[in-house]
Amino acid sequence: MALTIRGVTRTFPGQGRAVPTLALQPTDLDVAPGEFVSILGPSGCGKSTLLRIVAGLDRPTGGSVSLDGRVVTGPGPERGMVFQSYTLFPWLTVRQNIEFGLRERKLPEAEIREISEKFIGRTGLRGFENHWPRQLSGGMQQRTALARALANDPAVLLLDEPFGALDHQTRELMQELLLEVWAADSESARKTVLFVTHDIDEAIFLANRVLVMSARPGRVKAELPVPLPYPRDWTVKTTPVFAELKARLMAEIREEVRKAALA
Amino acid sequence: MGLILGGDAELWQVILLSLRVSGTAAAVAFVVGLPLAALLVMSNFRGRDLLLLLSNAALGLPPVVVGLVCYLLLSRSGLLGGLGWLFRPAGMVLAQTLLALPIVVALSSRALAPFWAEYRDVLLIDGAGFRQSLLELARMARPPLLTVFLAAFGRAIAEVGAILIVGGNIRGETRTMTTAIALETQKGDLPLALALGGLLLLMCLGVSTVTLLLDRRA
């Protein structure tokens, strides 16, 4: 599914007498079907705001988001999302969490079970199906959140720093897992992914294309294609191409972080 | 005292009517008020703050005034006169439901709000509609909602003004614990009034205990 963002801005009204905050400057973006785009930026740059607008959880102050030409006005089944905080339902088991959206859509019980089985397998949750979220580590909880988003089979997957709260090793494992799951579909059936992060390695490792956002008020200030073929594993992080991309992105990001710190 | 300990049939009737009327009123207020509270919490329509303010202000609704309004509504020439609920338990249920409703709306919205703030995004992304979202929120907020129910029941079982006017304190028909206490006090039978008062306290204790035990088992 193709994603088109045209002139999207977001201003948060000031509370009481406070001045309204411009979080997002007019932003244009085109994402082709099956493309994996990372959005990189310092914290508070409006990258999550942009993602929430695409998800339909927030309304833009100006501009519009459309999917295959249809303007987004709210959340919809063609978009799935994974958040940074573990937003699993605490009273449902891993399997029931994964099946939640499918139940909402009133699919037949056998089909629900078949789908949840598939993603329990793909996300490495086998053996944990009947655990409660509180019994799981952060990494396992995010596997569940990912499986829950994938189970609904959205054409567009929105990921808001999904591995941001995980330790470094777990995070790297999860990145490989995500790519594996994404690449499991044939090239023409792949999901369109927007991945928000402030981790440069993560942004490069996952994406076809990395966007750099400026400090608040955010705008897309740079765009770098990542000419590394899929499937990728951790070894690409040691290649010269990767190192060169990383150096360029670090330069871009450092400038913005400095601006944000001075602001 | 002998009357109370002896399990006199008339006394039992009074006790059961009190429980039935106030229990029904609290249950109806809960079933109507909880979705209203959820609507207030989950939507962002104009006038939402006004409704919240009204439900909070109505926490102090004087029972006699509610009784009077219900009396006028239910009297033969009133809007609901055709129901024939005046001086009947049904009319008392209506009056107490109106008294308990603001408690349910005001307190439930407080109980649901933090869970909505936390789970709004996930519920919306997963495509949960109003009914499902309400169900999930209520499930998470069960302990505070239980307290809301008990507060609503407490408001109903404790009041005398509304049911006195609407029910009329008719012996064997609409006499409840509180109206009986008021009557005995006026007649000067203070020991009996006191004993009934003690019994009423025990009833409230009993209802709380049973509710909390049910919750623990679930």
Side-chain angles (χ1 to χ4, degrees):
Chain A
M1 191 169 257
L3 170 68
T4 313
I5 298 176
R6 283 289 170 269
V8 164
T9 61
R10 182 70 169 101
T11 307
F12 291 106
Q15 293 290 325
R17 282 188 202 163
V19 198
T21 318
L22 177 63
L24 201 61
Q25 297 188 51
T27 300
D28 293 322
L29 177 63
D30 288 284
V31 183
E35 198 179 4
F36 197 130
V37 172
S38 287
I39 302 175
L40 188 63
S43 43
C45 72
K47 55 192 192 296
S48 290
T49 303
L50 181 61
L51 202 69
R52 288 173 55 81
I53 289 172
V54 175
L57 292 171
D58 196 1
R59 291 289 189 88
T61 312
S64 69
V65 172
S66 41
L67 293 163
D68 281 351
R70 290 182 55 186
V71 174
V72 164
T73 53
E78 74 288 345
R79 279 156 294 153
M81 190 160 178
V82 180
F83 304 86
Q84 177 179 2
S85 56
Y86 316 132
T87 36
L88 301 174
F89 294 128
W91 66 90
L92 299 180
T93 64
V94 166
R95 183 194 298 283
Q96 290 165 338
N97 263 289
I98 295 171
E99 293 175 349
F100 184 86
L102 303 170
R103 289 240 145 68
E104 283 303 297
R105 284 163 45 200
K106 313 229 176 345
L107 295 181
E109 202 57 35
E111 199 181 334
I112 289 178
R113 184 47 70 102
E114 190 187 317
I115 293 171
S116 66
E117 273 299 307
K118 179 167 125 190
F119 287 102
I120 283 167
R122 279 199 190 173
T123 54
L125 285 165
R126 184 79 56 217
F128 293 89
E129 305 89 308
N130 299 317
H131 281 53
W132 302 99
R134 62 170 181 279
Q135 298 175 298
L136 301 179
S137 66
M140 294 309 259
Q141 291 194 29
Q142 284 311 69
R143 280 172 202 250
T144 310
L146 185 62
R148 187 166 74 177
L150 291 168
N152 295 323
D153 196 25
V156 179
L157 196 54
L158 306 167
L159 304 157
D160 190 4
E161 299 197 40
F163 312 141
L166 305 177
D167 66 72
H168 191 72
Q169 282 73 27
T170 310
R171 176 187 274 241
E172 297 206 309
L173 279 180
M174 291 297 289
Q175 292 163 3
E176 289 191 329
L177 174 78
L178 174 61
L179 273 194
E180 226 170 80
V181 174
W182 175 70
D185 294 321
S186 68
E187 208 154 328
S188 59
R190 269 182 203 163
K191 298 186 188 315
T192 309
V193 184
L194 277 188
F195 189 100
V196 161
T197 181
H198 57 250
D199 182 325
I200 296 174
D201 286 40
E202 184 168 81
I204 304 170
F205 179 65
L206 294 171
N208 302 116
R209 179 153 60 114
V210 179
L211 304 179
V212 181
M213 283 188 68
S214 69
R216 178 171 275 194
R219 66 184 169 81
V220 177
K221 65 165 277 195
E223 192 180 320
L224 257 76
V226 180
L228 293 164
Y230 296 100
R232 300 173 186 170
D233 63 19
W234 64 274
T235 53
V236 305
K237 292 184 182 177
T238 60
T239 60
V241 180
F242 194 96
E244 192 208 332
L245 282 170
K246 186 172 173 180
R248 285 173 60 188
L249 287 170
M250 272 177 102
E252 297 277 4
I253 280 288
R254 277 177 63 87
E255 192 183 320
E256 294 311 316
V257 172
R258 188 169 297 144
K259 267 193 242 161
L262 293 174
Chain B
M1 269 324 259
L3 183 86
I4 288 170
L5 294 177
D8 171 83
E10 189 183 339
L11 177 66
W12 271 113
Q13 201 185 19
V14 171
I15 291 176
L16 286 180
L17 184 68
S18 290
L19 285 175
R20 207 175 53 153
V21 167
S22 299
T24 310
V28 173
F30 199 77
V31 169
V32 174
L34 187 62
L36 274 177
L39 203 65
L40 285 179
V41 167
M42 287 161 59
S43 57
N44 213 344
F45 60 92
R46 232 173 246 265
R48 169 178 174 269
D49 288 345
L50 184 71
L51 273 174
L52 267 175
L53 179 77
L54 285 179
S55 71
N56 277 287
L59 290 175
L61 218 53
V64 276
V65 175
V66 172
L68 178 62
V69 170
C70 287
Y71 182 90
L72 292 173
L73 281 174
L74 294 173
S75 63
R76 190 165 296 181
S77 53
L79 209 58
L80 303 174
L83 292 172
W85 282 5
L86 196 59
F87 304 129
R88 314 278 320 157
M92 298 154 73
V93 169
L94 175 69
Q96 291 198 335
T97 301
L98 292 180
L99 279 172
L101 194 61
I103 293 194
V104 175
V105 174
L107 298 187
S108 300
S109 60
R110 289 259 168 183
L112 297 179
F115 292 104
W116 177 242
E118 199 173 338
Y119 286 93
R120 170 189 181 268
D121 290 354
V122 191
L123 286 167
L124 289 176
I125 287 288
D126 276 348
F130 176 75
R131 244 179 62 109
Q132 190 63 32
S133 298
L134 167 62
L135 217 69
E136 303 302 337
L137 290 180
R139 239 158 126 168
M140 284 186 277
R142 202 175 63 177
L145 286 180
L146 218 58
T147 309
V148 171
F149 177 78
L150 288 176
F153 177 75
R155 166 83 155 161
I157 194 101
E159 74 86 25
V160 58
I163 44 173
L164 194 59
I165 296 179
V166 176
N169 195 21
I170 302 166
R171 185 175 180 180
E173 302 237 354
T174 58
R175 180 161 298 169
T176 66
M177 292 298 284
T178 52
T179 56
I181 292 169
L183 181 70
E184 295 308 328
T185 308
Q186 270 178 341
K187 276 166 53 185
D189 196 344
L190 295 181
L192 182 55
L194 261 179
L196 287 170
L199 206 58
L200 184 56
L201 287 179
L202 278 179
M203 281 162 54
C204 289
L205 186 67
V207 170
S208 296
T209 311
V210 169
T211 313
L212 293 177
L213 280 180
L214 282 178
D215 176 54
R216 192 163 298 177
R217 184 176 301 176

